[in-house]
Amino acid sequence: MTTVYERAANPRPTRGRGRPRPSPAGPLLALLWAGAAGVLALWWTDTGSVVGTAGWLTDAGRIAGLLCGYSCAVLVALMARVPLLERRIGSDRVARWHAMAGRYTICLLVAHVTLILFGYAAQDGTDIVHETLSVVFDYPDMLKATIGAVILFAVGITSARLARRRISHEFWYYVHLLTYAAVFLAFFHQLALGSDFVGNQAARAAWYTLYLGTAALVVWFRLLAPVRLNLRHRLRVEAVHRESPGVFSVVVRGERLDELNARPGQFFRWRFLADGMRWTSTPYSLSAPPRPDRMRITVKALGDHSAAVGLLRPGTRVWAEGPYGSLTADRSTSSKALLIAGGVGITPLRALFETLQGQVTLLYRARTAEDLALGGELQAIARWRGARVLYAVNAADGTRPRLTAESLRESVPDIAEHDVYLCGPPALARDLYGALRTAGVPDRRIHHESFEL
């Protein structure tokens, strides 16, 4: 159906750069590993000969503790939603780095606690239980550090895949926020008890700089920047439209939205200030090119929050953060593009379909014809710009069409010359990635962003 958010009379397609800007991913990873190497160098320069079982256990615990402290700062920095990372590297990739850093942090924490306690017990000639109680209650700042460690373990447990399937997103999200408290509580014992920092003013200054710099990123990008955005742009729901069964478009009106520099293909994190929704922030992509006074998202009812989107009333206040994401025209390297959408993954690609310059083909995968959200708009855009829309819909008996390298080459004979923008469920994305590579599409031309954040 056509909503009040119609295509502009004179849209301006956006052209990708012939040579996309180099991603800062490589230099950033090199910097992070260099930081880890610096931490190991700190231990090396402060350590003489290691003697006996107690010495080996204690020094191994020191190494694990230093790396864990460094990893905690990295973990929090990756959560800070720094635009350079979110827009140039991609929110999904940063989220994967954050998840990996979290696993490293928990493993290092377990190693640190275990090795230090057994090393101290061997050194003092006491049992592990007595030594644990002594360390927790008698050593400076250790009770706070213990509480912080327990919180980090809780965050790690709730972040495991099995646990994520059994708990609500809201519960996981708020437990995850306790990471800030855990890192704060654990920070002070590092300086009070860490032999690498006692009497080493340069090391202490570097550690303070690391943690205060990370805290500044969090305060600015997760607190102050969103407050400024929402006070300045005053977002409210203007209209809600049903697009297909369980799929709704929400038009959000605001002031001076062009100042946000949002791009087709990007997303915001949305918090609707309505009953039952105000405490949850959820990422939804722009499903149409942003305009100076309006933005639109299209949401499929997959959970309590997304199902409630269809019940929003005009005038509801909106709290948004963004824009985020790197699935934009900046990734383009060719004058030809193939957009492949699966289900509600059509939303960012619909915006790109209207604006991406050159020869564009859209392939839309859905279970049934009724599930083809925004179909009328896609056809209108295709006619206007002389593009193609292809559909892959289950047969009447439920048989799924196979999207193989052969079928893709048959639909798009010169597919290897195309940039491919891919958005859909993870399983579909994995299968299509393999098919695209087999069809001859270079890895550098396959652009994908997952929204399982």
Side-chain angles (χ1 to χ4, degrees):
M1 64 175 291
T2 301
T3 71
V4 296
Y5 196 107
E6 296 176 350
R7 179 170 52 83
N10 294 296
R12 292 180 296 173
T14 54
R15 186 180 187 85
R17 304 173 190 271
R19 238 179 232 185
R21 290 179 295 176
S23 169
L28 178 60
L29 285 175
L31 179 63
L32 294 179
W33 283 113
V39 169
L40 291 176
L42 173 64
W43 171 84
W44 181 266
T45 56
D46 285 344
T47 302
S49 59
V50 181
V51 180
T53 301
W56 281 103
L57 289 171
T58 302
D59 274 282
R62 281 176 54 207
I63 295 173
L66 284 169
L67 289 173
C68 182
Y70 173 73
S71 183
C72 281
V74 171
L75 189 71
V76 173
L78 292 174
M79 294 171 64
R81 298 177 186 168
V82 179
L84 175 65
L85 307 185
E86 298 279 338
R87 301 174 191 175
R88 294 282 305 281
I89 296 176
S91 299
D92 62 332
R93 194 173 184 184
V94 173
R96 289 195 296 272
W97 288 358
H98 171 72
M100 183 180 297
R103 289 190 288 270
Y104 287 155
T105 301
I106 296 299
C107 291
L108 289 167
L109 178 60
V110 171
H112 171 62
V113 171
T114 304
L115 292 167
I116 284 290
L117 289 177
F118 276 97
Y120 284 1
Q123 181 177 299
D124 297 339
T126 61
D127 62 87
I128 190 65
V129 175
H130 180 272
E131 189 66 35
T132 300
L133 293 174
S134 174
V135 168
V136 171
F137 293 104
D138 297 337
Y139 282 50
D141 294 310
M142 270 308 303
L143 184 57
K144 290 187 293 185
T146 301
I147 296 172
V150 170
I151 293 174
L152 279 178
F153 283 131
V155 172
I157 291 171
T158 56
S159 297
R161 289 184 180 180
L162 182 60
R164 285 290 303 274
R165 296 192 189 103
R166 296 176 178 269
I167 61 178
S168 67
H169 173 79
E170 291 79 8
F171 180 80
W172 170 85
Y173 176 77
Y174 287 110
V175 169
H176 218 65
L177 286 180
L178 292 175
T179 301
Y180 297 125
V183 172
F184 175 78
L185 290 169
F187 173 75
F188 298 98
H189 93 287
Q190 299 175 58
L191 298 180
L193 299 175
S195 59
D196 301 282
F197 298 108
V198 176
N200 189 336
Q201 295 302 317
R204 292 173 69 90
W207 216 245
Y208 270 114
T209 300
L210 174 66
Y211 273 79
L212 290 176
T214 299
L217 292 176
V218 172
V219 170
W220 181 258
F221 291 113
R222 294 207 64 163
L223 293 177
L224 299 182
V227 169
R228 179 183 181 277
L229 183 155
N230 287 279
L231 290 178
R232 183 170 181 78
H233 299 291
R234 302 180 180 276
L235 303 174
R236 290 185 181 273
V237 173
E238 180 178 86
V240 179
H241 301 275
R242 180 181 180 275
E243 301 289 356
S244 64
V247 178
F248 294 87
S249 285
V250 180
V251 179
V252 176
R253 179 177 285 276
E255 301 174 5
R256 301 182 295 273
L257 299 184
D258 52 321
E259 296 177 4
L260 294 173
N261 294 318
R263 306 286 303 280
Q266 291 187 311
F267 69 94
F268 286 74
R269 298 175 190 267
W270 305 90
R271 189 188 305 273
F272 299 100
L273 305 186
D275 291 343
M277 303 181 72
R278 65 180 68 245
W279 300 112
T280 302
S281 175
T282 306
Y284 295 127
S285 297
L286 299 175
S287 62
R291 294 165 63 172
D293 62 342
R294 295 175 187 169
M295 295 187 290
R296 190 186 73 177
I297 59 175
T298 301
V299 180
K300 184 176 178 62
L302 298 173
D304 293 341
H305 185 274
S306 54
V309 167
L311 303 177
L312 287 170
R313 296 181 178 181
T316 301
R317 293 180 59 193
V318 181
W319 185 274
E321 300 176 42
Y324 301 123
S326 61
L327 196 69
T328 67
D330 283 341
R331 288 192 176 187
S332 179
T333 62
S334 170
S335 60
K336 301 176 182 179
L338 171 63
L339 315 180
I340 307 180
V344 78
I346 189 62
T347 53
L349 300 190
R350 181 264 180 244
L352 282 171
F353 188 48
E354 180 176 336
T355 59
L356 198 61
Q357 196 173 50
Q359 178 184 319
V360 183
T361 300
L362 172 66
L363 173 58
Y364 192 175
R365 168 77 180 98
R367 292 182 180 178
T368 68
E370 285 189 338
D371 294 326
L372 295 171
L374 307 174
E377 293 184 16
L378 297 174
Q379 292 294 344
I381 294 169
R383 288 192 299 270
W384 157 71
R385 64 175 302 161
R388 290 195 302 158
V389 180
L390 308 176
Y391 298 104
V393 180
N394 291 2
D397 61 358
T399 303
R400 295 166 57 93
R402 296 190 62 199
L403 297 178
T404 63
E406 293 73 21
S407 65
L408 290 172
R409 274 196 296 254
E410 183 178 344
S411 300
V412 187
D414 57 346
I415 190 171
E417 301 175 12
H418 285 61
D419 279 295
V420 180
Y421 289 80
L422 175 60
C423 188
L428 176 66
R430 285 193 297 270
D431 291 343
L432 280 169
Y433 181 84
L436 289 166
R437 295 292 288 122
T438 303
V441 182
D443 184 73
R444 70 181 185 278
R445 287 187 173 175
I446 302 176
H447 315 302
H448 169 248
E449 195 160 50
S450 167
F451 296 96
E452 290 198 330
L453 306 179

